[in-house]
Amino acid sequence: MEISSKENTQFFSNNTILPVDRSSFKSESSASKEKQSCCGGIKIFLGALSFVYFAKALSGSYLKSTITQIERRFDIPSSLVGVIDGSFEIGNLLIIILVSYFGAKLHRPRIIGAGCLIMSAGTFLIAMPQFFMGRYRYERFPSTINSTVSISPCLQDKSQTPLSALEKSQAKINAGCEKEAGSSMWIYVLLGNLLRGIGCVQTVAIIGPIFGFLLGSLCAKLYVDIGFVDLDSVTITHKDVQWVGAWWLGYLIAGVISVLAGIPFWFLPKHLPKPESRKDSSTSSEQSKFITEDNKDQHKSYQQQVKIAEMAKDFLPSLKNLFGNPVYILYLCASIIQFNSLIGMVTYKPKYIEQQYGQTSSKTNFVIGLINIPAVAFGIFSGGLIMKKFRISVLGAAKLSLGSSFFGYLLLLSLFAMGCENSDVAGLTVSYHGTKQMTDYEQALFSECNSGCACSKNDWDPICGENGVTYISACLAGCQASNGSGKNTVFFNCSCVGTLQSPSQSSSAVVGPCQKGNECPKMFLYFLVISVITSYTLSVGGTPGYILLLRCIKPHLKSFALGIYTLAIRVLAGIPAPVYFGVAIDTTCLKWGSKRCGGRGACRLYDASALRYVYLGLTLVLGTVSIFFSVAVLWVLRKRSSPQDETLSANGERGTCGTKSRKDNFVNSDRLIQTTYWPEKETRL
């Protein structure tokens, strides 16, 4: 009986188990299909979003790589270029509130797609002036242009010049005056960058800037009017200070990439389906809003009004609570000042390398894209890895952030000793007799050796004498004859080009400025090494500083605090820094270009020593002030923390900003490291 009962029990149990197994198999198969469809949708979304990040970062870094090209093409000073660069942040501020409010209510993928279209429209708009303002005209004496007419550079008497040549020259000037309004087309560049800001999506991509600067390096080697003029007729090379590369070509490429990046978002659903197995799991509110099909969107209108009223009522107390946090305020001030330093330094870094070390725009952009930006990426990664591996407390994060800034700016201090001397330019940096120039440069451009020539002090057509001195023009060098044409022109009987031992000896000169001294290439190599180490060191502190910010804020205020932080960085650093850095750099100009119809154009030559002290000095002063605020943050944290916190953190537990608000301020550092966003970190070099 016992055996039969056991058999019956086993029989019934087997019979009852079978249907359960089938149903579970069906549910598992349906769940796996649903999971596959969900994962596929998420992968498509993440892939498309990554491509958008790449497109945005590429166009942003390409703009910085073309700063000097835009300045020369439109004959504008550095201060105005700074306004153009800051217009991106202005455009972002115009739309950020609307996107933040309507983004959660509307079709998010299509909003991103629309943003990509706006970005591409702005990028195309930046390139449009190239097709409407005529061909680029650089200053060249007629004898250096392919011509059958031989003209003496030193016009002792205008009767020496054939009438037809004078008429043609005057006709070109008049034609240039008629099209002088084209120089104001830099406004389209500003508006285009403004649109890029409106269509901006936040980016953490680091590969985009690398390709952006490499693209800038490639386009800088191509002549600005490539495809429109005969390149054999171009008498300057990419090493000439008047050279303007095909700056517009990269914007067309970036615009096309932005359009392609936005296409997939127009075909994605408003909500991505969530697997059954995870519908009851705990996820973040932001994930649940987007990934799940939210059937609770249809709330009653009065409930929404009550919620908005409660939020408005809680705004001022939240703001007061936030600004009553000394750690937050001090860190915010430190970040604003530090980003002023970094944004100004990065914006004009290509210009500084070109003017200080005599490098071409192409080589400068190549070096920044291939060396500096990977160092920044590695520094950010290292900072997050250190925080995660050693489970560093808030106090430790503050120390790491402070140490990173301190040693980074200390390394930057050494760059003062790694500059090049001014090139010897007759009448500007040295006198015509070889001594250092001390008087007003405009009055010193004329000397006894060129007193018999009818020269203009506004010309900029540099030639290199065989004595190693650069002369502003062949006329001011006192050259009486020339041979050849274009890039191969050689000037003879130049009365101002002579050795110091025999000033009366007449010598020859060739087209283009003389190269920097023999020590300059070595100094440039030292600069690159220190610059890469500095970029890495400063970037290491980015992640710890940001985690410090988040851990010292109550959970319900984190979103609000991050919004205030980002807004302050954009308004008080992203917009003004390029402008006043540009104004300061303009004060170091030795020779301004002249527009065809009068007025000051772009700077042709900078005082290398003054530029070094202004550029590096302003960066270091701002960095030093930010360090003082960081020290104050560390002091407040030490004051608010107890010895028990130090003991706990030493034993491997994560500390917070204070013992009283341990639960409110605690945030899992692993999650923070994964979601850390350092504003515009892809361009901080």
Side-chain angles (χ1 to χ4, degrees):
M1 292 292 294
E2 293 179 357
I3 296 175
S4 63
S5 64
K6 289 181 180 179
E7 290 178 353
N8 292 333
T9 305
Q10 187 176 6
F11 174 77
F12 284 112
S13 65
N14 290 337
N15 287 342
T16 56
I17 288 173
L18 285 174
V20 174
D21 289 339
R22 291 172 182 173
S23 61
S24 63
F25 177 77
K26 291 180 181 179
S27 63
E28 288 178 0
S29 61
S30 61
S32 62
K33 290 181 180 179
E34 188 176 0
K35 183 177 180 180
Q36 289 178 357
S37 63
C38 174
C39 292
I42 293 177
K43 288 180 180 179
I44 294 174
F45 174 78
L46 292 179
L49 191 63
S50 300
F51 194 44
V52 172
Y53 290 163
F54 171 82
K56 182 262 176 184
L58 184 143
S59 59
S61 58
Y62 183 77
L63 176 68
K64 294 190 180 297
S65 73
T66 58
I67 287 292
T68 55
Q69 311 290 319
I70 293 174
E71 182 177 329
R72 294 171 189 167
R73 184 66 177 96
F74 298 97
D75 254 343
I76 55 178
S78 298
S79 56
L80 194 51
V81 172
V83 174
I84 294 175
D85 185 77
S87 63
F88 176 85
E89 304 293 352
I90 298 175
N92 190 264
L93 292 175
L94 292 176
I95 202 66
I96 190 171
I97 297 177
L98 295 177
V99 171
S100 300
Y101 180 75
F102 291 105
K105 302 178 181 298
L106 302 177
H107 199 296
R108 290 188 181 185
R110 291 183 180 176
I111 290 178
I112 298 175
C116 292
L117 293 181
I118 296 175
M119 274 203 309
S120 63
T123 310
F124 286 135
L125 185 61
I126 294 176
M128 285 302 103
Q130 174 64 22
F131 303 97
F132 297 108
M133 64 184 298
R135 306 282 76 83
Y136 173 59
R137 295 186 180 91
Y138 50 89
E139 299 176 26
R140 273 291 180 264
F141 190 76
S143 62
T144 65
I145 303 175
N146 295 332
S147 175
T148 57
V149 180
S150 179
I151 303 175
S152 173
C154 181
L155 297 177
Q156 296 178 350
D157 186 0
K158 288 188 178 181
S159 61
Q160 293 181 0
T161 304
L163 183 61
S164 59
L166 287 176
E167 290 175 348
K168 290 179 180 179
S169 177
Q170 188 63 37
K172 288 182 179 179
I173 294 176
N174 293 335
C177 289
E178 292 175 359
K179 294 185 178 181
E180 186 65 19
S183 62
S184 61
M185 283 195 171
W186 59 265
I187 297 176
Y188 288 96
V189 181
L190 186 145
L191 293 176
N193 202 33
L194 198 74
L195 282 178
R196 284 187 57 250
I198 291 176
C200 170
V201 291
Q202 297 295 351
T203 174
V204 294
I206 202 66
I207 194 174
I210 296 177
F211 280 90
F213 277 100
L214 293 181
L215 180 61
S217 174
L218 174 63
C219 294
K221 279 188 175 181
L222 305 176
Y223 185 63
V224 60
D225 292 325
I226 185 173
F228 300 96
V229 298
D230 183 11
L231 296 181
D232 294 333
S233 64
V234 179
T235 60
I236 57 176
T237 66
H238 67 281
K239 297 181 180 180
D240 197 293
V241 293
Q242 297 187 79
W243 176 269
V244 175
W247 60 275
W248 51 274
L249 184 59
Y251 290 110
L252 296 181
I253 296 174
V256 172
I257 293 176
S258 297
V259 171
L260 295 177
I263 291 176
F265 291 97
W266 295 96
F267 300 97
L268 288 174
K270 184 176 181 180
H271 302 286
L272 295 179
K274 185 179 178 182
E276 291 288 340
S277 59
R278 295 187 60 189
K279 281 187 177 179
D280 297 330
S281 61
S282 59
T283 57
S284 65
S285 59
E286 187 65 20
Q287 287 176 326
S288 61
K289 284 181 183 177
F290 176 64
I291 297 180
T292 61
E293 292 188 50
D294 191 7
N295 295 323
K296 298 180 180 180
D297 288 339
Q298 301 176 353
H299 293 292
K300 295 181 179 179
S301 60
Y302 89 94
Q303 290 179 338
Q304 293 180 346
Q305 293 175 359
V306 170
K307 186 176 180 181
I308 294 174
E310 290 178 354
M311 292 173 60
K313 184 179 179 181
D314 192 51
F315 177 79
L316 290 179
S318 298
L319 190 65
K320 183 178 179 181
N321 193 341
L322 190 63
F323 283 96
N325 187 336
V327 176
Y328 178 79
I329 291 298
L330 290 173
Y331 183 78
L332 180 62
C333 293
S335 298
I336 290 173
I337 298 174
Q338 186 178 33
F339 274 105
N340 270 273
S341 170
L342 297 177
I343 290 172
M345 180 180 69
V346 172
T347 301
Y348 294 100
K349 191 169 190 176
K351 187 184 192 70
Y352 177 77
I353 294 176
E354 292 177 31
Q355 295 294 331
Q356 186 69 213
Y357 301 101
Q359 302 297 322
T360 63
S361 297
S362 176
K363 186 175 181 180
T364 299
N365 293 327
F366 182 81
V367 166
I368 293 176
L370 207 61
I371 299 178
N372 278 90
I373 294 181
V376 173
F378 188 56
I380 295 171
F381 174 78
S382 299
L385 187 63
I386 292 172
M387 290 292 298
K388 183 175 182 179
K389 184 175 180 62
F390 297 100
R391 304 173 68 87
I392 296 177
S393 64
V394 171
L395 199 59
K399 292 178 182 179
L400 183 57
S401 179
L402 175 60
S404 169
S405 299
F406 177 77
F407 286 107
Y409 286 109
L410 192 64
L411 287 169
L412 201 63
L413 184 64
S414 64
L415 295 181
F416 279 100
M418 300 176 188
C420 297
E421 296 295 328
N422 282 317
S423 300
D424 291 338
V425 182
L428 293 181
T429 60
V430 296
S431 68
Y432 282 89
H433 301 289
T435 58
K436 294 296 181 182
Q437 185 63 31
M438 301 298 294
T439 59
D440 183 15
Y441 76 90
E442 288 190 348
Q443 297 177 356
L445 292 178
F446 299 99
S447 180
E448 294 180 0
C449 61
N450 57 26
S451 58
C453 301
C455 305
S456 171
K457 65 182 181 182
N458 295 325
D459 291 339
W460 179 258
D461 186 8
I463 63 171
C464 180
E466 64 180 26
N467 58 353
V469 177
T470 299
Y471 296 85
I472 291 179
S473 66
C475 181
L476 288 172
C479 299
Q480 304 293 331
S482 63
N483 186 19
S485 61
K487 304 172 186 178
N488 301 319
T489 302
V490 180
F491 300 94
F492 298 99
N493 299 328
C494 301
S495 58
C496 294
V497 182
T499 61
L500 297 178
Q501 290 78 10
S502 55
S504 61
Q505 179 182 355
S506 296
S507 302
S508 62
V510 295
V511 174
C514 300
Q515 297 297 320
K516 290 266 188 177
N518 296 330
E519 293 295 323
C520 204
K522 186 186 298 183
M523 287 295 179
F524 178 57
L525 183 61
Y526 295 154
F527 169 83
L528 288 181
V529 174
I530 298 298
S531 178
V532 169
I533 299 175
T534 302
S535 300
Y536 172 80
T537 306
L538 289 173
S539 302
V540 167
T543 302
Y546 199 75
I547 292 178
L548 163 68
L549 173 67
L550 291 179
R551 287 192 190 175
C552 292
I553 302 171
K554 294 181 179 179
H556 68 281
L557 293 177
K558 291 188 186 298
S559 299
F560 185 48
L562 291 178
I564 296 293
Y565 179 83
T566 305
L567 183 66
I569 295 296
R570 292 185 181 279
V571 174
L572 301 178
I575 296 175
V579 178
Y580 66 76
F581 261 82
V583 172
I585 289 174
D586 282 340
T587 61
T588 66
C589 183
L590 290 176
K591 180 70 171 75
W592 289 97
S594 299
K595 296 183 179 180
R596 290 180 174 272
C597 300
R600 194 174 73 176
C603 184
R604 304 301 188 191
L605 181 68
Y606 289 89
D607 186 338
S609 299
L611 176 62
R612 182 168 67 253
Y613 289 122
V614 167
Y615 174 77
L616 295 178
L618 190 54
T619 301
L620 279 172
V621 168
L622 292 170
T624 303
V625 175
S626 70
I627 288 176
F628 281 114
F629 278 101
S630 298
V631 171
V633 170
L634 185 60
W635 180 78
V636 172
L637 287 176
R638 281 186 177 275
K639 189 176 179 180
R640 293 176 60 178
S641 63
S642 63
Q644 294 179 353
D645 294 329
E646 295 290 336
T647 304
L648 288 174
S649 62
N651 292 331
E653 295 185 10
R654 291 181 284 268
T656 59
C657 290
T659 56
K660 295 181 179 179
S661 57
R662 182 184 302 271
K663 293 182 179 179
D664 291 339
N665 295 332
F666 182 83
V667 179
N668 189 298
S669 66
D670 295 346
R671 181 180 297 177
L672 287 174
I673 292 174
Q674 295 173 0
T675 59
T676 296
Y677 169 65
W678 185 13
E680 294 294 331
K681 65 185 176 184
E682 72 276 6
T683 60
R684 304 291 172 252
L685 308 183

